[in-house]
Amino acid sequence: MDFPFDLSSLFPERISVLDHNLCAARKPHGRPEAQSQTATVIDELGKASAKAQKLPAPITSAAKLQANRHYLYLLKDGERNGGRGVAVGYLKVGYKKLFLLDQRGAHVETEPLCVLDFYVTESLQRHGYGLELFHFMLQHKKVEPEQMAYDRPSMKFLAFLEKHFELQHSVPQVNNFVVFEGFFRNRSAAQLRKAPPKKPEGEIKPYSLMEREAVREEQKALPWPFIRSTAVPQSPPLAASSPFSRSLSVGSSPSHTPHPQPHIPPHLADNCRTKRTSSLNRSQLGFH
């Protein structure tokens, strides 16, 4: 893919390593338009990659590279286009935290280096450019192909991995990433952490001692009709023939509760009865 500006001066190396700074040279360019031209190259290659993979939108752009901690390896051919060079393709990688299934079906939490996008211009494919890009990335990151995870690889990319690196048997996953058997075999226990089990839904925890005290204080501040006692009140036993037994069994209010009669000693009760009878007789006879 060629551009109206000089790629050979914009990208001094055959393979340039770009990060969020969008700077291919070891020292920043003195030209102010260098960063915008670099962004143009990345954006156009990203659009071509999305079209080749039949994606609805590009997954690689200058803005996304600036916003993430990814690395983009951009390959150029400086002898083409009259010495101004052409962009051949790129390989984008980055670290991702993934929950994967191992060969036994157990969930494992890990953060491997992942291949996120890989594209070589259609007219320059099958010339060894893709393999050159991939080998450069492996040496730069000091990683083996089976130790990596691959995000939504195409059938062409899977055939590339099988042909050049003998990666054939993948471990089925529930996400879009593909890993191979060597991924779990060649990693240490520190790199592969068992994912913690999920808590059961609807779990109800008992009130703590502090929460129970707060509820009691809140109930004390409420007026009488709204107080809800935490203990069941003890009612005195009633006889089966009592007229209040049925009402108390279905709930009753304090106004319906019979008031207890005061206890009067027998000698005072007889005196009161005698005086009452005397007063009644005097009234009936007309004496006042």
Side-chain angles (χ1 to χ4, degrees):
M1 184 178 292
D2 55 349
F3 293 88
F5 42 83
D6 190 356
L7 289 180
S8 295
S9 61
L10 187 62
F11 303 109
E13 307 293 335
R14 180 174 174 83
I15 298 180
S16 301
V17 183
L18 301 173
D19 57 11
H20 63 281
N21 294 314
L22 301 186
C23 182
R26 295 180 180 178
K27 295 182 180 180
H29 289 285
R31 297 181 292 117
E33 69 275 9
Q35 191 176 49
S36 63
Q37 290 176 352
T38 302
T40 299
V41 174
I42 297 173
D43 289 343
E44 292 302 317
L45 287 173
K47 292 176 184 178
S49 175
K51 183 178 180 181
Q53 299 180 65
K54 298 180 181 180
L55 299 176
I59 58 177
T60 299
S61 66
K64 292 181 179 180
L65 189 62
Q66 288 176 310
N68 297 279
R69 299 180 61 181
H70 297 160
Y71 293 92
L72 189 141
Y73 298 86
L74 192 146
L75 173 62
K76 71 156 191 183
D77 187 341
E79 298 180 358
R80 294 176 180 267
N81 194 22
R84 297 169 64 180
V86 295
V88 176
Y90 66 83
L91 174 62
K92 186 175 71 172
V93 300
Y95 290 94
K96 292 280 188 179
K97 181 176 288 188
L98 302 176
F99 291 90
L100 302 174
L101 297 173
D102 61 11
Q103 295 94 326
R104 296 172 296 177
H107 285 85
V108 177
E109 179 185 358
T110 183
E111 192 171 358
L113 184 67
C114 305
V115 175
L116 305 174
D117 199 6
F118 188 21
Y119 173 71
V120 174
T121 305
E122 283 81 353
S123 60
L124 297 177
Q125 292 180 4
R126 300 184 182 279
H127 288 74
Y129 290 118
L131 186 59
E132 182 182 357
L133 259 176
F134 209 88
H135 272 302
F136 185 92
M137 181 272 300
L138 295 176
Q139 294 175 3
H140 183 259
K141 287 297 183 181
K142 296 180 175 58
V143 66
E144 297 296 329
E146 63 268 15
Q147 296 175 333
M148 303 182 68
Y150 301 87
D151 186 12
R152 291 174 293 186
S154 63
M155 297 302 297
K156 187 181 294 186
F157 188 21
L158 291 175
F160 170 88
L161 294 173
E162 181 179 357
K163 177 181 178 180
H164 297 289
F165 303 101
E166 299 181 356
L167 298 180
Q168 302 179 10
H169 305 291
S170 62
V171 181
Q173 303 296 323
V174 296
N175 51 25
N176 295 322
F177 285 84
V178 171
V179 294
F180 296 90
E181 290 182 350
F183 181 89
F184 300 99
R185 184 173 59 250
N186 299 329
R187 301 182 79 87
S188 64
Q191 294 173 317
L192 298 174
R193 299 184 297 273
K194 290 291 182 68
K198 293 183 178 180
K199 293 183 179 180
E201 297 182 359
E203 182 179 3
I204 301 175
K205 296 182 178 179
Y207 282 120
S208 65
L209 196 58
M210 184 178 298
E211 290 172 335
R212 289 199 295 267
E213 291 297 330
V215 171
R216 291 194 187 102
E217 292 297 328
E218 183 180 355
Q219 289 181 344
K220 289 179 182 179
L222 295 175
W224 167 77
F226 302 100
I227 296 177
R228 299 176 63 181
S229 176
T230 56
V232 179
Q234 297 295 329
S235 301
L238 296 175
S241 60
S242 173
F244 301 102
S245 60
R246 176 173 174 80
S247 63
L248 288 176
S249 65
V250 295
S252 61
S253 64
S255 60
H256 294 161
T257 304
H259 298 286
Q261 297 297 329
H263 177 71
I264 302 175
H267 66 279
L268 294 179
D270 293 338
N271 292 337
C272 291
R273 193 177 298 110
T274 304
K275 291 179 180 181
R276 183 178 179 185
T277 304
S278 300
S279 299
L280 181 60
N281 293 336
R282 289 171 61 88
S283 175
Q284 289 176 349
L285 295 175
F287 296 101
H288 298 282

